[in-house]
């Protein structure tokens, strides 16, 4: 390709890329919304499919757009800073961000405490209360939170808890337990059919999995939890201490 032709093509691609960015910033295409197909964009901008494909590919690499196989290309939701991972809790995080929070309980059960006895320093043969919830921020599912609470230490917690209640508030009010610190392990997990359904993401999409043991004011373990969130929706920085 001659140099002048190559320069012309690069200039055209850069122009189309910028027009797409401008449309996104001006709200023509909003977060979570599907953009037009390649054919529609070719007609809209009067350029070739190669130019459109190059512009879209670059915006996908930059995290502005996301491709969902079999569905199309969508505007990527902005990442949420991980204040939600601090010991203050999800509701406090929502208040600090000026955003509405909501939770949906998807599982409540009494289960064996045996897998957690050593981690939480509780007697073998006892039971735990498993509480699994989907947490929403401004109406969008942000993460799945599973919590295992030892009933030997917090009797009848499963009967005291009601949907929508703050577990940390219940710890403090009913058991004089304040969660003040935690120890986390973070790894990458691929979404199974269940996680994809609840988080409204693609099967196999990368998720952050955050395993956590919370500790009280006497440095005793309170509960174990496991949180799944979409890796492209959350930026992780760790702040362990309540202030």
């Amino acid at each position: 390709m001659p140099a002048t032709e190559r320069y012309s093509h690069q200039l055209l691609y850069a122009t189309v890329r910028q027009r797409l960015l401008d449309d996104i910033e001006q709200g023509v295409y909003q977060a979570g919304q599907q953009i037009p197909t390649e054919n529609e964009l070719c007609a809209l901008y009067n350029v070739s499919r190669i130019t459109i494909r190059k512009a879209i590919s670059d915006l996908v690499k930059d995290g502005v757009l996301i491709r969902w196989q079999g569905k199309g290309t969508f505007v990527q939701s902005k990442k949420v800073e991980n204040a939600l991972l601090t010991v203050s809790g999800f509701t406090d995080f929502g208040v600090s961000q000026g955003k509405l929070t909501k939770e949906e309980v998807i599982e409540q059960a009494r289960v064996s405490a045996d897998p957690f006895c050593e981690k939480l320093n509780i007697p073998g043969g006892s039971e735990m209360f498993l509480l699994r919830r989907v947490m929403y921020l401004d109406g969008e599912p942000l993460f799945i939170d599973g919590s295992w609470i030892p009933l030997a230490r917090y009797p009848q917690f499963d009967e005291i808890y009601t949907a929508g209640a703050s577990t940390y508030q219940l710890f403090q009010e009913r058991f004089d337990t304040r969660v003040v610190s935690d120890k986390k392990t973070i790894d990458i997990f691929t979404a199974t059919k269940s996680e994809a359904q609840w988080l409204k993401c693609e099967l196999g999409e990368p998720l952050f999995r955050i395993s956590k043991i919370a500790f009280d004011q006497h440095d005793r373990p309170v509960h174990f939890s496991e949180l799944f969130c979409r890796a492209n929706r959350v930026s992780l920085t760790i702040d362990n201490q309540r202030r």
Side-chain angles (χ1 to χ4, degrees), residues 184-190 206-211 226-229 231 236:
K184 302 181 182 73
T185 302
I186 302 172
D187 61 3
I188 296 294
F189 184 87
T190 55
L207 306 176
F208 285 124
R209 178 171 60 182
I210 300 97
S211 302
E226 193 171 62
L227 179 149
F228 294 93
C229 58
L236 296 180

Side-chain angles (χ1 to χ4, degrees), residues 8 14 18 30 42 70 73 75 79 97 108 112 114 136 164 168 192 210 219 222 231:
S8 177
Q18 188 58 50
Q30 299 184 359
C42 287
T73 304
V75 178
K79 284 196 172 186
Q97 299 293 306
Q108 293 185 78
S112 171
D114 289 348
Y136 295 80
Y168 282 15
T192 66
I210 300 97
D219 202 30
V222 176

Side-chain angles (χ1 to χ4, degrees), residues 14-111:
T15 301
V16 170
R17 181 182 183 281
Q18 188 58 50
R19 286 186 63 183
L20 276 169
L21 270 175
D22 290 343
D23 284 345
I24 292 169
E25 290 174 359
Q26 293 168 13
V28 176
Y29 311 124
Q30 299 184 359
Q33 181 181 345
Q34 184 176 7
I35 67 171
T37 65
E38 289 183 358
N39 285 339
E40 292 169 335
L41 289 172
C42 287
L44 181 62
Y45 296 135
N46 194 27
V47 295
S48 69
R49 177 173 287 191
I50 293 176
T51 300
I52 290 295
R53 193 166 291 169
K54 168 68 172 168
I56 289 176
S57 294
D58 269 28
L59 291 175
V60 168
K61 289 178 184 177
D62 291 344
V64 177
L65 299 174
I66 182 170
R67 284 196 180 102
W68 289 357
Q69 188 173 0
K71 295 182 180 180
T73 304
F74 295 76
V75 178
Q76 181 73 277
S77 298
K78 291 183 179 179
K79 284 196 172 186
V80 176
E81 293 298 329
N82 87 307
L84 62 92
L85 298 180
T86 68
V87 295
S88 60
F90 184 64
T91 302
D92 288 345
F93 164 73
V95 171
S96 71
Q97 299 293 306
K99 297 179 182 292
L100 295 175
T101 61
K102 185 185 76 169
E103 67 179 59
E104 180 180 1
V105 176
I106 56 177
E107 185 178 5
Q108 293 185 78
R110 285 195 173 204
V111 297

Side-chain angles (χ1 to χ4, degrees), residues 69-220:
Q69 188 173 0
K71 295 182 180 180
T73 304
F74 295 76
V75 178
Q76 181 73 277
S77 298
K78 291 183 179 179
K79 284 196 172 186
V80 176
E81 293 298 329
N82 87 307
L84 62 92
L85 298 180
T86 68
V87 295
S88 60
F90 184 64
T91 302
D92 288 345
F93 164 73
V95 171
S96 71
Q97 299 293 306
K99 297 179 182 292
L100 295 175
T101 61
K102 185 185 76 169
E103 67 179 59
E104 180 180 1
V105 176
I106 56 177
E107 185 178 5
Q108 293 185 78
R110 285 195 173 204
V111 297
S112 171
D114 289 348
F116 305 94
C117 290
E118 186 174 349
K119 288 181 180 179
L120 299 180
N121 191 24
I122 54 178
S126 57
E127 289 186 310
M128 304 193 81
F129 173 44
L130 166 60
L131 175 63
R132 203 183 305 274
R133 298 170 290 179
V134 180
M135 303 301 204
Y136 295 80
L137 189 69
D138 275 354
E140 182 179 356
L142 193 59
F143 65 88
I144 301 170
D145 181 39
S147 187
W148 287 259
I149 299 168
L151 294 173
R153 186 167 294 158
Y154 307 106
Q156 299 180 316
F157 195 98
D158 55 333
E159 298 176 17
I160 297 169
Y161 173 80
T162 57
S166 166
T167 54
Y168 282 15
Q169 187 174 344
L170 286 176
F171 282 133
Q172 185 165 345
E173 292 179 353
R174 302 297 293 266
F175 302 98
D176 193 27
T177 296
R178 290 185 297 108
V179 175
V180 298
S181 65
D182 54 53
K183 180 180 179 181
K184 302 181 182 73
T185 302
I186 302 172
D187 61 3
I188 296 294
F189 184 87
T190 55
T192 66
K193 185 176 180 180
S194 176
E195 284 94 33
Q197 174 188 348
W198 289 113
L199 293 176
K200 296 183 180 177
C201 67
E202 289 294 293
L203 183 67
E205 181 176 317
L207 306 176
F208 285 124
R209 178 171 60 182
I210 300 97
S211 302
K212 179 180 75 175
I213 298 177
F215 295 88
D216 67 11
Q217 68 270 32
H218 304 296
D219 202 30
R220 295 179 303 184

